[in-house]
């Protein structure tokens, strides 16, 4: 034990476990009204997260102890079929159209038959309506409360929809087109990023899992999910292939699209630390370029100031209108299980459509990364941990499956744990069924967000 504690990973692990224990005990004492099922759920969440961290720390040390220079040019990817990214792009467009058609047919089967143009109006549900309102009218400083609080939605995606509206003439069609193009582009860029660490078949499987995990309809809806994945994949791909400035620019755009884009600073810092052997001046320049990411989010804060006179007005609206703030992810596990159990007898649709998928997504993601952490690139695991801690720690989390679906390490990890054909087939069948059931809940509007 003493020898282990003398090593950096031993000291970091001991301090991390101590910090996690203190934080959990503090939370436990601050929530005397929590039920025992909720406490057990929170303990399991904290335990899984700590287990991932403990497995990650040796990988982190190895990653930094073996410096590796960033390439001067993109690597030659042997074994990649010709025009692979173009084929993925077209395939993803086909999946997008297939989901639109399937939703139309399901709504007909559930008794909502109508002409296709009218049926497409269904896609204004969830947060889509907010994004489309912003694309049409921009942010409002006064008026109906529902419109004023739309300031919490970042402008990257609405601006893209506004540009495409000039082409389509209708905001909904522009939103569906923007989502389709971004989703297709995200598939191609995810493949390129995965090929930096994986053979062709594994990278292609990661792309397939992006479509197979429950919630692919979020990429089809007029929301920022597809654009965010595309920008994140571009950020990491360009940074890792030696084009650091372009990578940071895409990272800034990701921060201008979603606040969780700031989590990209974590994998970039890991890659920068590993490439330190290229010289102090180059490392300093790359570090300065990373300031583009907070600058991208800062541009959104400036829009807040122009609209409301407060750089952080979005936080006020998050708290007052959505009861949203920063919390602890294991507190999320507690209140979500408590609400699932309380809603189950009388509000079964909400329990099965909202709380159960959130619980499964959060616990499933932790279990998945725990299995894949020793094979997943250390910078990606660090990214997952930072993203999960912040995004899942929201004090009123409704969109856990959606947030985790768009986190690239999840798709990469699914590819890593399904390298054996039997595991791939079994999990594909299971997740295919879950995806269809989740889609049905979305069509029936069982509080799927």
């Amino acid at each position: 034990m003493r020898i282990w504690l003398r090593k950096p990973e031993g000291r970091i692990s001991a301090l991390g476990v101590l910090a996690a224990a203190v934080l959990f005990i503090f939370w436990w004492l601050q929530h005397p009204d929590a039920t025992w099922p909720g406490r057990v759920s929170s303990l399991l969440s904290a335990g899984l997260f700590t287990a991932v961290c403990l497995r990650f720390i040796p990988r982190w040390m190895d990653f930094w102890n073996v410096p590796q220079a960033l390439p001067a040019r993109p690597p030659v990817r042997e074994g990649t079929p010709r025009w692979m990214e173009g084929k993925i792009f077209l395939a993803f467009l086909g999946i997008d159209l297939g989901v639109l058609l399937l939703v139309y047919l399901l709504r007909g089967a559930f008794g909502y038959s109508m002409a296709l143009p009218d049926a497409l109006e269904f896609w204004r549900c969830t947060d889509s309506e907010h994004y489309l309102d912003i694309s049409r009218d921009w942010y409002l400083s006064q008026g109906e409360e529902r419109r004023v609080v739309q300031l919490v939605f970042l402008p990257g995606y609405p601006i893209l929809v506004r540009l495409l509206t000039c082409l389509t003439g209708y905001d909904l069609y522009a939103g569906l087109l923007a989502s389709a193009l971004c989703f297709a582009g995200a598939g191609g860029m995810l493949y390129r990023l995965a090929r930096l660490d994986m053979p062709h078949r594994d990278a292609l499987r990661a792309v397939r899992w992006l479509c197979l995990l429950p919630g692919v309809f979020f990429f089809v809806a007029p929301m920022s999910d597809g654009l965010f994945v595309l920008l994140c994949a571009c950020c990491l791909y360009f940074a890792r292939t030696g084009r650091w400035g372009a990578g940071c620019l895409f990272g800034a755009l990701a921060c201008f699209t979603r606040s969780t884009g700031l989590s990209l600073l974590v994998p970039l810092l890991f890659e920068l630390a590993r490439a330190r052997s290229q010289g102090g001046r180059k490392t300093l320049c790359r570090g300065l370029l990373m300031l583009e990411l907070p600058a991208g989010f800062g541009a959104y804060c400036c829009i807040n100031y122009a609209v409301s006179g407060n750089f952080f007005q979005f936080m006020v609206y998050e708290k007052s209108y959505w009861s949203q703030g920063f919390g602890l992810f294991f507190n999320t596990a507690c209140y979500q299980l408590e609400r699932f159990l309380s809603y189950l007898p009388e509000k079964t649709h909400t329990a099965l459509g909202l709380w159960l998928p959130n619980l499964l997504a959060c616990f499933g993601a932790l279990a998945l990364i725990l299995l894949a952490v020793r094979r997943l690139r250390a910078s990606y695991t660090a990214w997952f941990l930072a993203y999960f801690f912040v995004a899942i720690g929201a004090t009123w989390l409704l969109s856990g499956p959606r947030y985790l679906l768009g986190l690239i390490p999840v798709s990469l990890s699914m590819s890593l744990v399904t390298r054996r054909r039997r595991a791939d087939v079994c999990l594909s069948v299971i997740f295919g069924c879950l995806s269809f059931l989740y889609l049905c809940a979305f069509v029936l509007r069982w509080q799927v967000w």
Side-chain angles (χ1 to χ4, degrees), residues 65-81:
N65 287 335
V66 184
Q68 186 178 56
L70 295 174
R73 63 186 64 184
V76 177
R77 297 170 297 148
E78 297 180 359
T80 300

Side-chain angles (χ1 to χ4, degrees), residues 300-371:
Y300 164 62
C301 292
C302 289
I303 292 174
N304 271 252
Y305 183 80
V307 172
S308 67
N310 181 3
F311 286 104
F312 302 102
Q313 185 65 27
F314 69 94
M315 298 180 67
V316 176
Y317 291 152
E318 286 275 17
K319 188 69 175 178
S320 63
Y321 194 79
W322 279 280
S323 302
Q324 199 70 275
F326 294 109
L328 296 168
F329 62 90
F330 46 82
N331 178 62
T332 301
C334 175
Y335 73 70
Q336 288 194 335
L337 181 61
E338 289 177 341
R339 279 165 175 76
F340 169 71
L341 295 176
S342 64
Y343 278 62
L344 197 56
E346 298 179 359
K347 300 180 180 179
T348 307
H349 294 168
T350 303
L352 298 180
L354 176 60
W355 303 119
L356 182 60
N358 272 271
L359 284 165
L360 293 177
C362 295
F363 281 107
L366 287 174
L368 170 65
I369 300 298
L370 182 63
L371 293 174

Side-chain angles (χ1 to χ4, degrees), residues 168-292:
T168 64
Y170 189 43
D171 61 346
L172 177 61
Y173 297 161
L176 292 172
L177 178 60
S179 295
L181 294 176
C182 291
F183 178 48
M189 285 308 302
L190 175 60
Y191 174 80
R192 280 197 174 191
L193 181 64
R195 283 291 282 122
L196 297 177
D197 304 302
M198 299 177 174
H200 164 69
R201 294 185 66 179
D202 289 358
L204 198 60
R205 192 166 56 252
V207 171
R208 176 166 60 83
W209 277 110
L210 182 65
C211 303
L212 197 54
L213 291 170
V216 67
F217 51 84
F218 288 125
F219 292 123
V220 179
M223 294 191 291
S224 62
D225 298 73
L227 177 60
F228 183 70
V229 176
L230 172 61
L231 294 172
C232 289
C234 287
C235 170
L236 292 173
Y237 177 77
F238 283 107
R240 287 192 55 195
T241 53
R243 293 163 287 184
W244 196 266
C248 290
L249 177 59
F250 279 110
L253 292 173
C255 295
F256 192 62
T257 300
R258 275 193 184 176
S259 58
T260 47
L262 289 168
S263 64
L264 284 167
L265 287 168
V266 175
L268 289 178
L269 281 170
F270 267 70
E271 297 296 340
L272 181 65
R274 197 184 196 199
R276 64 188 182 277
S277 60
Q278 291 182 310
R281 180 177 296 180
K282 184 169 287 189
T283 300
L284 177 60
C285 291
R286 287 171 177 161
L288 292 174
L289 285 171
M290 288 174 59
L291 294 176
E292 294 180 31

Side-chain angles (χ1 to χ4, degrees), residues 209 418 420-432:
W209 277 110
T418 56
R420 293 186 178 182
R421 180 172 176 79
R422 180 175 296 180
D424 187 27
V425 172
C426 291
L427 288 177
S428 294
V429 171
I430 292 172
F431 277 93

